[in-house]
Amino acid sequence: FLISCQGATSITTFAVFLCDKIEPALHRAVYERTAKAIAEDMQGKFPDFQGNRANLEVSILRYLAEQENFEYFKCYLKCPDEFFRRYLGKQVQSYCSHGSRSLEKFLDSSLNLLYGNILKAVSFSTQIIKDRKDREDKVSLWLDEFCRELTEVINLPRSDLKGIEHQEVTDIEFLSSVMAEALDDLKNRLRKEFADADMSSFARQPHTILAEHFSGCWEQCPFCGAVCTNTMRNHDGDHQLVFHRPRALVGTKWQKTDHLVIDICSSLVASNLRFRFDDVKWIHYKRYRDAGPRFSTWNILPDPSMQAYWKWFVSHFRTQLEALYNGKFQGKGEIPKAWQRVTKQEALSELDK
């Protein structure tokens, strides 16, 4: 796309061509910057997002208890990492939709900042080239400087601008003012478009950035499904966690009965009881590591303490759990009276400690 016309027309055509190349790059950069800005803003404002994943786990459990929706619990217990991402997505969504058009404000602020950087690049390139009286290929040099200045701002490859580098532009000052005008039009056009934006407009979602900050190991205990608390994804050493949960949460029943197991694995590994794996073999809980890979990578310390939260959960959602796993809280799986007295408030207060 070589432009051979001269003078003002030539400069206008040059500016239009250049802005057409800048537009998609600026559009992308605004969304990328905004996604990061929203994630950082939320981390700054919400205590839940300031700590590590264990902190966030507590706020998820609090949210689940407040919603009291068994379907949510089911999703959380089966696919904790997926639920975790959905939870963050919900938080971001509500943060950006309540108040005074927050998402539009975020986009606007990114647009203003990047637009300012592009304008600076225009004037910087103009200053440098203006004084090069000796050179013929001023436009080509101007474009070199312009793209170099924008490296950190937007992705505008210099090779995309080959079609306009041979322009006969002598008045670099005039070029600068025409560019400023064209960029102003571009900014207004994008601002109008951002007024209708929603979360689906992001290529990389703000909640994905938040989730990466909290990523870690997602390995689930083979007995109770609780998630390893290590903050590294492929960590050295065994998987472990502080509190295990009743085995009923993954539907485990006592042999030859439909009675759900309310014991936690950390107390079972201190007993003389056995468990069945691969549907055929039996092994003592004490020697659980001998059951092979899924079990041998876990360090389950004997510990009888159970969170009040799961006592409340089992008592409260008894009927739904029985229906889900086609079992009964009877016999060895009888829910203790003490569990039934645990209130939601007590369960939540203990979590917060």
Side-chain angles (χ1 to χ4, degrees):
F1 176 59
L2 289 166
I3 310 161
S4 51
C5 41
Q6 293 301 310
T9 324
S10 178
I11 289 179
T12 309
T13 317
F14 174 94
V16 167
F17 179 90
L18 187 49
C19 281
D20 280 351
K21 292 288 179 190
I22 291 171
E23 184 163 355
L26 176 57
H27 190 276
R28 264 196 311 279
V30 166
Y31 275 106
E32 276 164 23
R33 196 186 173 283
T34 301
K36 285 193 193 116
I38 291 171
E40 277 166 22
D41 206 54
M42 290 182 75
Q43 272 180 289
K45 286 187 178 144
F46 296 104
D48 289 354
F49 297 140
Q50 281 161 9
N52 54 17
R53 202 174 75 196
N55 286 42
L56 190 58
E57 184 79 21
V58 168
S59 51
I60 287 178
L61 291 176
R62 194 186 312 119
Y63 166 81
L64 283 166
E66 282 159 5
Q67 298 296 313
E68 265 188 54
N69 179 328
F70 187 69
E71 287 305 309
Y72 289 179
F73 270 106
K74 213 163 82 178
C75 174
Y76 167 77
L77 295 169
K78 276 203 162 61
C79 313
D81 54 340
E82 189 188 316
F83 186 85
F84 167 85
R85 280 195 298 274
R86 274 196 213 165
Y87 172 79
L88 288 177
K90 259 199 176 97
Q91 300 303 311
V92 170
Q93 180 82 48
S94 88
Y95 183 59
C96 292
S97 57
H98 77 274
S100 44
R101 311 209 310 280
S102 299
L103 179 56
E104 193 184 338
K105 273 192 177 157
F106 272 116
L107 288 164
D108 225 28
S109 131
S110 295
L111 176 61
N112 287 333
L113 185 103
L114 295 166
Y115 165 76
N117 287 336
I118 298 172
L119 273 188
K120 267 191 214 123
V122 168
S123 86
F124 180 80
S125 315
T126 305
Q127 281 311 110
I128 285 188
I129 305 307
K130 210 172 59 172
D131 310 328
R132 308 282 292 268
K133 304 269 189 284
D134 54 324
R135 296 293 293 262
E136 288 302 301
D137 53 348
K138 280 188 174 176
V139 168
S140 185
L141 285 174
W142 189 92
L143 286 169
D144 290 346
E145 289 300 335
F146 182 66
C147 288
R148 193 174 303 131
E149 274 300 292
L150 288 182
T151 320
E152 300 293 308
V153 184
I154 59 172
N155 178 24
L156 185 69
R158 173 66 177 85
S159 54
D160 286 3
L161 311 176
K162 289 252 183 275
I164 49 170
E165 65 183 16
H166 305 297
Q167 285 300 87
E168 287 300 317
V169 174
T170 44
D171 192 344
I172 290 290
E173 287 277 13
F174 181 56
L175 167 66
S176 178
S177 71
V178 172
M179 273 304 294
E181 222 168 283
L183 284 167
D184 200 43
D185 290 345
L186 170 55
K187 182 175 82 161
N188 293 332
R189 209 164 47 246
L190 286 177
R191 179 168 281 146
K192 274 203 189 81
E193 184 192 323
F194 293 151
D196 299 323
D198 59 26
M199 298 316 288
S200 67
S201 315
F202 288 92
R204 187 160 177 255
Q205 293 283 345
H207 73 262
T208 308
I209 298 173
L210 272 177
E212 277 159 17
H213 171 76
F214 291 108
S215 76
C217 182
W218 285 106
E219 211 47 50
Q220 289 179 261
C221 169
F223 291 119
C224 71
V227 175
C228 170
T229 46
N230 198 300
T231 51
M232 303 286 291
R233 191 175 278 277
N234 295 309
H235 59 87
D236 295 331
D238 291 328
H239 300 298
Q240 54 188 359
L241 46 97
V242 185
F243 292 109
H244 286 267
R245 303 167 181 172
R247 295 207 62 197
L249 299 194
V250 293
T252 311
K253 300 179 189 122
W254 290 106
Q255 170 67 359
K256 294 191 174 140
T257 73
D258 62 353
H259 301 167
L260 290 158
V261 178
I262 60 167
D263 305 54
I264 48 175
C265 21
S266 50
S267 64
L268 288 166
V269 294
S271 71
N272 285 318
L273 295 163
R274 297 183 307 162
F275 69 95
R276 191 178 180 184
F277 69 104
D278 289 350
D279 287 339
V280 281
K281 303 173 192 148
W282 285 90
I283 200 163
H284 279 96
Y285 275 100
K286 278 181 181 153
R287 313 219 16 210
Y288 70 89
R289 284 179 186 266
D290 297 347
R294 258 183 71 228
F295 300 86
S296 57
T297 53
W298 275 84
N299 180 20
I300 304 171
L301 299 168
D303 179 7
S305 52
M306 189 198 304
Q307 286 167 299
Y309 188 92
W310 297 112
K311 296 175 181 175
W312 166 78
F313 172 75
V314 167
S315 310
H316 187 77
F317 288 106
R318 173 186 188 139
T319 319
Q320 290 92 326
L321 284 164
E322 288 181 334
L324 175 64
Y325 292 121
N326 199 12
K328 289 268 180 278
F329 286 106
Q330 282 174 0
K332 277 196 199 169
E334 184 82 46
I335 298 173
K337 289 272 187 289
W339 288 25
Q340 295 169 41
R341 287 195 292 273
V342 177
T343 67
K344 179 160 79 174
Q345 203 36 61
E346 283 166 352
L348 290 175
S349 311
E350 189 199 75
L351 268 188
D352 291 330
K353 286 175 196 158

